Amino acid sequence: MTDAAVAGTDWQAWQDSWDRQQEWYMPDREERFRVMLDMVEAVVGPKPRVLDLACGTGSITNRLLRRFPEATSVGVDLDPALLAIARGSFDGDRRVTFVTADLKDPAWTEALPHDTYDAVLTATALHWLHTEPLTALYGQLAGLVREGGVFMNADHMIDESTPRINAAERAQRHARMDREKAAGVLDWADWWALAAKDPVLAEPTARRFEIYGEHADGDMPSPRWHADTLRAAGFAEARPVWCSPSDTLLLAVK
């Protein structure tokens, strides 16, 4: 692919379409980002050094820098297609660095430009991991977050002690999604099909599916499991600071 083709790509349009696709699954997506940044400001202030973990297209970094112009962000991910969109979107912004790394690789932190961060933030990503590698990752994050710093994870967290509530929530959510899908909303598969046809994203999209396959096969343990595991890893405090019927934003302070 030529440099001219890459330079001529409308990266903002890809960012917007990614946001719309994600909002089909999570209509309260912006609310969790708002609370996440509220808590960043409350605990570590408005000029944080942030690690955007499993950053995707840079959704967290985008909102972080709009709200806190003096912040800096290091985005880390393995997905070549989403990283292509992220790098294209933030090209020339000296506040942002992107790193390609596999969070399941024990040595992934060696690729980072800094040893410690004020905040490590992630959203809708770590459910791709099973509990064993996620436990190991939380141990590594305890070493990356500075004393007094924060880790926040906004993701699907299922409390299996409430099966009737879970079933009712799932049925209601899927009924809404079915209505919106019938009205033409792009889902995950539709979005990736478009990316696969794009002259700039086709090759990294093909590599992405070689790496990940079609769907996540990880676990979605309860908020209590996440809080207990983070405390065991070395965080002093951990609890939910926002939740929807299906998702939780969990905050841990070092």
Side-chain angles (χ1 to χ4, degrees):
M1 183 52 55
T2 66
D3 291 341
V6 173
T9 298
D10 188 344
W11 297 115
Q12 187 59 53
W14 279 109
Q15 289 280 6
D16 291 344
S17 69
W18 177 259
D19 283 344
R20 301 294 83 76
Q21 177 256 125
Q22 289 286 286
E23 287 165 359
W24 180 61
Y25 296 95
M26 299 165 288
D28 47 25
R29 184 168 177 256
E30 289 301 326
E31 178 69 6
R32 72 190 68 193
F33 287 144
R34 182 191 67 77
V35 176
M36 178 181 283
L37 296 181
D38 281 351
M39 298 311 298
V40 167
E41 184 173 25
V43 182
V44 301
K47 301 178 184 180
R49 174 194 289 169
V50 170
L51 179 61
D52 185 351
L53 191 72
C55 64
T57 65
S59 297
I60 290 174
T61 293
N62 179 33
R63 288 153 180 82
L64 171 79
L65 297 179
R66 280 193 273 126
R67 178 158 170 177
F68 307 125
E70 295 184 72
T72 58
S73 179
V74 176
V76 58
D77 208 305
L78 186 61
D79 189 312
L82 298 184
L83 278 174
I85 296 172
R87 289 186 167 112
S89 299
F90 294 94
D91 185 39
D93 192 331
R94 299 179 66 181
R95 300 170 297 175
V96 184
T97 303
F98 290 104
V99 172
T100 300
D102 184 351
L103 299 182
K104 291 187 284 189
D105 180 348
W108 73 271
T109 59
E110 296 175 10
L112 299 177
H114 308 292
D115 293 332
T116 61
Y117 295 83
D118 300 310
V120 177
L121 309 176
T122 188
T124 326
L126 299 189
H127 65 273
W128 283 75
L129 298 177
H130 289 290
T131 51
E132 185 175 346
L134 183 55
T135 299
L137 177 63
Y138 279 175
Q140 291 178 302
L141 296 182
L144 288 173
V145 175
R146 68 162 173 83
E147 290 296 322
V150 300
F151 166 67
M152 277 183 270
N153 179 15
D155 209 345
H156 313 309
M157 300 183 188
I158 299 174
D159 186 342
E160 294 184 352
S161 70
T162 58
R164 288 188 295 171
I165 295 173
N166 298 348
E169 182 281 324
R170 177 180 172 82
Q172 191 274 341
R173 172 163 43 90
H174 279 267
R176 171 191 59 79
M177 292 168 68
D178 288 344
R179 292 192 300 270
E180 294 177 359
K181 176 68 172 172
V185 172
L186 292 180
D187 65 10
W188 173 267
D190 295 332
W191 191 91
W192 282 109
L194 289 178
K197 295 176 183 177
D198 184 84
V200 172
L201 293 178
E203 189 274 334
T205 295
R207 286 192 284 120
R208 181 245 181 247
F209 280 95
E210 290 175 1
I211 295 168
Y212 291 109
E214 293 291 334
H215 300 288
D217 63 351
D219 301 322
M220 300 181 196
S222 69
R224 180 173 181 175
W225 180 93
H226 285 272
D228 289 346
T229 303
L230 286 162
R231 283 192 290 266
F235 286 88
E237 300 178 9
R239 72 167 177 87
V241 291
W242 174 92
C243 70
S244 72
S246 62
D247 290 16
T248 295
L249 170 58
L250 197 131
L251 164 63
V253 177
K254 182 71 179 294

